[in-house]
C-alpha cells in the first residue's frame, strides 16, 4: 500500500483529499504547516508527498529544497492558479509535478499514479522507456517513433508533444501544460503553437495510418486514450 503525506494548511482541503485518497486505498498522513511537513517527510517513509506552496512558517518551495538535500521522494506541488513563479521555482527545486488549485480529484489521482510510475521506473531502470499505445511505439532513448513497425519522422517539437501525451495517456493535457513540455516552462508566447504541432502530428500519424490517436477536448486541450476509439 502506498503512503502519502499531505502538507496543507487549509484543513478542509487536506481533509477532503485525505478522504478521497483513503477511499482509493492509500495510507495518508497530514501536516498542517511546512516545518511539521518537513520533519515528517525526512523521518517517515512516504511514497509520495502532496505539498502546498503557500504554507505558514516554512513555505512549500523551501520545504522541497530542504527535503531534496536528503531524499528523492516524489513531490506534487499544490499551487495557486496562475502562480507561474511557484511552478518555475518548484520545478527547479525538484518537484516532480504540480497541480493547480482548485483541482478535480480525478486529475490529482491521475497525477499521483503518473508520479508513482515514473519513480518506480526510475528506480528499476535507467531513464528512457518505450511507450506503446496500440500500433504506436515511442522509444525515449532512441528518440524514435514507429507505427505498425514503420518509422515516423518527427521534428523535435513534434516528438516532445507526442511523448507528453503518451506519457500522460488518458489524462487531458491543457495547452499551457503541453507548452511547458514542448517549449520549456519559461516559454512566453502563443499557446496555439500546440495546435499547429498537433496538426502536423495528425497528418503524419492519424491521417497516414487511419487511426484516431490524438483527440481534442473542446475548450481544454488534447488527450491520447489507450483504447484509441
Ligand atoms: Ca495554503
Amino acid at each position: 500500500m502506498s503512503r502519502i503525506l499531505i502538507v496543507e494548511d487549509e484543513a478542509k482541503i487536506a481533509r477532503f483529499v485525505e478522504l478521497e485518497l483513503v477511499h482509493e486505498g492509500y495510507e495518508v498522513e497530514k501536516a498542517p504547516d511546512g516545518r511539521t511537513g518537513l520533519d515528517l517527510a525526512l523521518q517517515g517513509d512516504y511514497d509520495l508527498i502532496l505539498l502546498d506552496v503557500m504554507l505558514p512558517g516554512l513555505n512549500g518551495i523551501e520545504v522541497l529544497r530542504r527535503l531534496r538535500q536528503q531524499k528523492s521522494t516524489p513531490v506534487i506541488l499544490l499551487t495557486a492558479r496562475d502562480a507561474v513563479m511557484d511552478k518555475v521555482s518548484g520545478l527547479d527545486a525538484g518537484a516532480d509535478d504540480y497541480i493547480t488549485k482548485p483541482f478535480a480529484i480525478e486529475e490529482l489521482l491521475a497525477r499521483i499514479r503518473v508520479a508513482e510510475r515514473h519513480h518506480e521506473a526510475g528506480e528499476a531502470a535507467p531513464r528512457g522507456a518505450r511507450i506503446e499505445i496500440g500500433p504506436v511505439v515511442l522509444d525515449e532513448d532512441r528518440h524514435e517513433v514507429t507505427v505498425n513497425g514503420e518509422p515516423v519522422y518527427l521534428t523535435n517539437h513534434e516528438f516532445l508533444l507526442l511523448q507528453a501525451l503518451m506519457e500522460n495517456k488518458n489524462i487531458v493535457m491543457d495547452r499551457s501544460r503541453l507548452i511547458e513540455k514542448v517549449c520549456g516552462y519559461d516559454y512566453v508566447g502563443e499557446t496555439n503553437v500546440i495546435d499547429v504541432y498537433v496538426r502536423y502530428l495528425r497528418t503524419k500519424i492519424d491521417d497516414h495510418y487511419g487511426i484516431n490517436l490524438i483527440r481534442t477536448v473542446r475548450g481544454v486541450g488534447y488527450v491520447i486514450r489507450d483504447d484509441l476509439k
Side-chain angles (χ1 to χ4, degrees):
M1 185 198 290
S2 285
R3 298 186 72 208
I4 295 185
L5 173 65
I6 305 172
V7 188
E8 166 65 84
D9 59 313
E10 285 163 78
K12 270 168 93 173
I13 297 180
R15 180 74 185 136
F16 168 70
V17 173
E18 178 186 29
L19 288 174
E20 293 288 342
L21 292 180
V22 168
H23 181 73
E24 291 293 315
Y26 292 99
E27 195 180 310
V28 175
E29 277 182 53
K30 290 182 298 186
D33 61 77
R35 221 161 271 283
T36 313
L38 180 62
D39 286 346
L40 285 174
L42 288 174
Q43 289 158 20
D45 186 20
Y46 299 99
D47 298 289
L48 186 120
I49 299 169
L50 297 177
L51 180 58
D52 187 31
V53 174
M54 297 286 282
L55 288 169
L58 215 52
N59 74 42
I61 304 292
E62 196 48 41
V63 170
L64 176 60
R65 206 167 273 136
R66 295 189 195 183
L67 175 70
R68 281 289 175 263
Q69 290 169 2
Q70 299 183 46
K71 288 180 125 174
S72 64
T73 315
V75 169
I76 298 178
L77 288 179
L78 311 178
T79 68
R81 186 165 290 286
D82 296 329
V84 178
M85 275 317 294
D86 286 351
K87 278 192 283 183
V88 172
S89 41
L91 293 168
D92 280 347
D96 295 81
D97 202 354
Y98 67 87
I99 188 164
T100 309
K101 292 188 199 178
F103 48 80
I105 198 72
E106 291 74 23
E107 193 192 350
L108 178 65
L109 293 171
R111 298 212 162 272
I112 289 172
R113 286 191 292 269
V114 170
E116 284 181 326
R117 225 164 34 226
H118 272 181
H119 197 67
E120 280 160 17
E123 279 178 348
R127 266 194 70 80
R130 266 166 62 94
I131 314 173
E132 213 171 320
I133 298 178
V136 184
V137 179
L138 182 142
D139 187 317
E140 292 183 343
D141 280 340
R142 296 178 169 187
H143 231 258
E144 260 177 22
V145 174
T146 58
V147 182
N148 298 330
E150 286 176 28
V152 178
Y153 297 100
L154 301 180
T155 65
N156 193 45
H157 282 141
E158 291 163 3
F159 182 89
L160 292 174
L161 176 60
L162 184 62
Q163 182 180 23
L165 288 167
M166 287 179 75
E167 273 182 343
N168 293 282
K169 70 175 179 187
N170 301 319
I171 302 175
V172 177
M173 301 286 281
D174 63 35
R175 286 176 181 75
S176 57
R177 200 176 279 275
L178 288 170
I179 277 280
E180 289 169 14
K181 304 276 186 192
V182 175
C183 305
Y185 55 77
D186 50 359
Y187 174 84
V188 280
E190 300 293 322
T191 58
N192 62 13
V193 299
I194 291 299
D195 303 314
V196 175
Y197 295 136
V198 165
R199 209 153 60 226
Y200 293 153
L201 278 176
R202 279 180 172 154
T203 305
K204 290 181 179 180
I205 297 177
D206 297 53
D207 298 351
H208 193 80
Y209 293 95
I211 56 176
N212 188 10
L213 184 66
I214 302 176
R215 270 170 285 182
T216 305
V217 180
R218 210 168 284 280
V220 186
Y222 297 98
V223 64
I224 291 180
R225 301 208 186 273
D226 54 6
D227 57 8
L228 287 193
K229 270 178 209 150

Short mmCIF file of all heavy atoms in Angstrom, two decimals, residues 30-60:
data_model
loop_
_atom_site.label_atom_id
_atom_site.label_comp_id
_atom_site.label_asym_id
_atom_site.label_seq_id
_atom_site.Cartn_x
_atom_site.Cartn_y
_atom_site.Cartn_z
N LYS A 30 -1.09 13.65 7.54
CA LYS A 30 -1.22 15.07 7.21
C LYS A 30 -0.30 15.91 8.09
O LYS A 30 -0.05 15.58 9.25
CB LYS A 30 -2.66 15.53 7.44
CG LYS A 30 -3.64 14.97 6.43
CD LYS A 30 -5.04 15.51 6.69
CE LYS A 30 -5.52 15.09 8.06
NZ LYS A 30 -6.89 15.45 8.36
N ALA A 31 0.14 17.03 7.53
CA ALA A 31 0.89 18.02 8.29
C ALA A 31 0.27 19.38 7.99
O ALA A 31 0.03 19.70 6.83
CB ALA A 31 2.36 18.01 7.90
N PRO A 32 0.02 20.20 9.03
CA PRO A 32 -0.68 21.47 8.81
C PRO A 32 0.24 22.64 8.51
O PRO A 32 -0.24 23.75 8.27
CB PRO A 32 -1.40 21.68 10.15
CG PRO A 32 -0.48 21.05 11.15
CD PRO A 32 0.22 19.92 10.45
N ASP A 33 1.55 22.45 8.54
CA ASP A 33 2.47 23.55 8.22
C ASP A 33 3.78 22.98 7.68
O ASP A 33 4.01 21.77 7.73
CB ASP A 33 2.72 24.41 9.48
CG ASP A 33 3.37 23.60 10.58
OD1 ASP A 33 4.58 23.34 10.50
OD2 ASP A 33 2.65 23.18 11.53
N GLY A 34 4.61 23.87 7.16
CA GLY A 34 5.82 23.45 6.47
C GLY A 34 6.83 22.73 7.35
O GLY A 34 7.44 21.75 6.95
N ARG A 35 6.99 23.24 8.54
CA ARG A 35 8.00 22.67 9.43
C ARG A 35 7.64 21.23 9.83
O ARG A 35 8.48 20.32 9.77
CB ARG A 35 8.17 23.54 10.67
CG ARG A 35 9.60 23.71 11.10
CD ARG A 35 9.81 24.91 12.00
NE ARG A 35 10.08 26.13 11.26
CZ ARG A 35 11.26 26.42 10.70
NH1 ARG A 35 12.26 25.57 10.78
NH2 ARG A 35 11.45 27.54 10.05
N THR A 36 6.37 21.04 10.22
CA THR A 36 5.90 19.69 10.56
C THR A 36 6.02 18.78 9.34
O THR A 36 6.46 17.63 9.44
CB THR A 36 4.43 19.71 11.01
OG1 THR A 36 4.26 20.77 11.96
CG2 THR A 36 4.00 18.40 11.61
N GLY A 37 5.65 19.34 8.18
CA GLY A 37 5.72 18.56 6.94
C GLY A 37 7.13 18.10 6.65
O GLY A 37 7.36 16.93 6.31
N LEU A 38 8.08 19.01 6.78
CA LEU A 38 9.48 18.67 6.50
C LEU A 38 9.98 17.59 7.48
O LEU A 38 10.60 16.61 7.07
CB LEU A 38 10.37 19.92 6.59
CG LEU A 38 11.86 19.68 6.33
CD1 LEU A 38 12.09 19.17 4.90
CD2 LEU A 38 12.65 20.96 6.56
N ASP A 39 9.66 17.76 8.76
CA ASP A 39 10.07 16.77 9.76
C ASP A 39 9.53 15.39 9.41
O ASP A 39 10.27 14.40 9.41
CB ASP A 39 9.59 17.17 11.16
CG ASP A 39 10.40 18.33 11.72
OD1 ASP A 39 11.47 18.62 11.14
OD2 ASP A 39 9.98 18.94 12.72
N LEU A 40 8.23 15.33 9.12
CA LEU A 40 7.61 14.04 8.79
C LEU A 40 8.24 13.47 7.52
O LEU A 40 8.55 12.28 7.44
CB LEU A 40 6.10 14.20 8.59
CG LEU A 40 5.26 14.37 9.86
CD1 LEU A 40 3.81 14.66 9.50
CD2 LEU A 40 5.33 13.10 10.72
N ALA A 41 8.42 14.33 6.52
CA ALA A 41 8.95 13.86 5.24
C ALA A 41 10.36 13.29 5.40
O ALA A 41 10.72 12.31 4.75
CB ALA A 41 8.96 15.00 4.23
N LEU A 42 11.16 13.92 6.26
CA LEU A 42 12.53 13.46 6.46
C LEU A 42 12.57 12.18 7.28
O LEU A 42 13.37 11.28 7.02
CB LEU A 42 13.37 14.55 7.13
CG LEU A 42 13.72 15.76 6.24
CD1 LEU A 42 14.43 16.83 7.06
CD2 LEU A 42 14.59 15.33 5.05
N GLN A 43 11.69 12.09 8.28
CA GLN A 43 11.73 10.93 9.17
C GLN A 43 10.95 9.74 8.63
O GLN A 43 11.32 8.60 8.83
CB GLN A 43 11.17 11.30 10.55
CG GLN A 43 12.09 12.22 11.35
CD GLN A 43 11.34 13.00 12.41
OE1 GLN A 43 10.24 12.61 12.81
NE2 GLN A 43 11.92 14.09 12.88
N GLY A 44 9.83 10.05 7.98
CA GLY A 44 8.92 8.99 7.56
C GLY A 44 9.35 8.35 6.26
O GLY A 44 10.33 8.75 5.63
N ASP A 45 8.59 7.35 5.86
CA ASP A 45 8.89 6.62 4.64
C ASP A 45 7.66 6.71 3.74
O ASP A 45 6.79 5.85 3.77
CB ASP A 45 9.22 5.16 5.00
CG ASP A 45 9.69 4.39 3.79
OD1 ASP A 45 10.10 5.03 2.80
OD2 ASP A 45 9.62 3.15 3.82
N TYR A 46 7.61 7.77 2.95
CA TYR A 46 6.44 8.01 2.12
C TYR A 46 6.74 7.68 0.67
O TYR A 46 7.87 7.82 0.21
CB TYR A 46 5.99 9.47 2.24
CG TYR A 46 5.60 9.85 3.64
CD1 TYR A 46 6.50 10.53 4.46
CD2 TYR A 46 4.36 9.48 4.17
CE1 TYR A 46 6.17 10.85 5.77
CE2 TYR A 46 4.02 9.81 5.47
CZ TYR A 46 4.93 10.48 6.27
OH TYR A 46 4.60 10.79 7.56
N ASP A 47 5.68 7.27 -0.03
CA ASP A 47 5.84 7.00 -1.46
C ASP A 47 5.63 8.26 -2.27
O ASP A 47 6.06 8.36 -3.42
CB ASP A 47 4.84 5.93 -1.89
CG ASP A 47 5.12 4.63 -1.16
OD1 ASP A 47 6.14 4.00 -1.47
OD2 ASP A 47 4.34 4.26 -0.25
N LEU A 48 4.94 9.23 -1.67
CA LEU A 48 4.65 10.47 -2.39
C LEU A 48 4.24 11.55 -1.40
O LEU A 48 3.67 11.25 -0.35
CB LEU A 48 3.51 10.23 -3.39
CG LEU A 48 3.20 11.39 -4.33
CD1 LEU A 48 3.39 10.95 -5.77
CD2 LEU A 48 1.79 11.89 -4.15
N ILE A 49 4.57 12.80 -1.75
CA ILE A 49 4.18 13.93 -0.90
C ILE A 49 3.39 14.93 -1.72
O ILE A 49 3.82 15.32 -2.81
CB ILE A 49 5.44 14.61 -0.29
CG1 ILE A 49 6.21 13.60 0.56
CG2 ILE A 49 5.03 15.83 0.54
CD1 ILE A 49 7.58 14.06 1.00
N LEU A 50 2.22 15.32 -1.21
CA LEU A 50 1.45 16.42 -1.80
C LEU A 50 1.78 17.65 -0.98
O LEU A 50 1.51 17.69 0.22
CB LEU A 50 -0.05 16.13 -1.73
CG LEU A 50 -0.53 14.92 -2.52
CD1 LEU A 50 -2.02 14.71 -2.28
CD2 LEU A 50 -0.25 15.10 -3.99
N LEU A 51 2.38 18.64 -1.62
CA LEU A 51 2.94 19.75 -0.88
C LEU A 51 2.35 21.08 -1.35
O LEU A 51 2.56 21.50 -2.49
CB LEU A 51 4.47 19.75 -1.10
CG LEU A 51 5.31 20.82 -0.43
CD1 LEU A 51 5.15 20.81 1.09
CD2 LEU A 51 6.78 20.62 -0.80
N ASP A 52 1.60 21.71 -0.46
CA ASP A 52 1.07 23.03 -0.77
C ASP A 52 2.22 24.03 -0.81
O ASP A 52 3.20 23.88 -0.07
CB ASP A 52 0.05 23.41 0.33
CG ASP A 52 -0.68 24.71 0.01
OD1 ASP A 52 -0.87 25.00 -1.18
OD2 ASP A 52 -1.04 25.42 0.96
N VAL A 53 2.12 25.04 -1.66
CA VAL A 53 3.21 26.03 -1.74
C VAL A 53 3.04 27.11 -0.67
O VAL A 53 3.97 27.45 0.04
CB VAL A 53 3.28 26.67 -3.15
CG1 VAL A 53 4.31 27.80 -3.17
CG2 VAL A 53 3.68 25.61 -4.18
N MET A 54 1.82 27.64 -0.57
CA MET A 54 1.57 28.71 0.39
C MET A 54 1.29 28.10 1.76
O MET A 54 0.17 27.71 2.07
CB MET A 54 0.36 29.54 -0.06
CG MET A 54 0.57 30.24 -1.39
SD MET A 54 1.67 31.65 -1.25
CE MET A 54 0.53 32.84 -0.53
N LEU A 55 2.35 28.02 2.58
CA LEU A 55 2.22 27.42 3.91
C LEU A 55 2.73 28.41 4.95
O LEU A 55 3.66 29.17 4.67
CB LEU A 55 3.06 26.15 4.00
CG LEU A 55 2.59 24.92 3.24
CD1 LEU A 55 3.70 23.87 3.23
CD2 LEU A 55 1.33 24.34 3.87
N PRO A 56 2.15 28.40 6.14
CA PRO A 56 2.69 29.26 7.20
C PRO A 56 4.05 28.74 7.66
O PRO A 56 4.33 27.55 7.56
CB PRO A 56 1.65 29.13 8.32
CG PRO A 56 0.94 27.85 8.05
CD PRO A 56 1.00 27.61 6.57
N GLY A 57 4.90 29.65 8.12
CA GLY A 57 6.23 29.26 8.58
C GLY A 57 7.13 29.01 7.40
O GLY A 57 7.53 29.93 6.69
N LEU A 58 7.43 27.76 7.15
CA LEU A 58 8.28 27.38 6.03
C LEU A 58 7.39 27.16 4.82
O LEU A 58 6.49 26.33 4.86
CB LEU A 58 8.96 26.06 6.43
CG LEU A 58 10.38 25.76 6.00
CD1 LEU A 58 11.31 26.89 6.36
CD2 LEU A 58 10.82 24.45 6.66
N ASN A 59 7.63 27.87 3.71
CA ASN A 59 6.76 27.64 2.55
C ASN A 59 7.13 26.36 1.82
O ASN A 59 8.17 25.75 2.07
CB ASN A 59 6.71 28.86 1.63
CG ASN A 59 7.98 29.03 0.82
OD1 ASN A 59 8.54 28.06 0.30
ND2 ASN A 59 8.45 30.26 0.71
N GLY A 60 6.24 25.97 0.90
CA GLY A 60 6.39 24.68 0.23
C GLY A 60 7.69 24.55 -0.54
O GLY A 60 8.32 23.49 -0.55
#
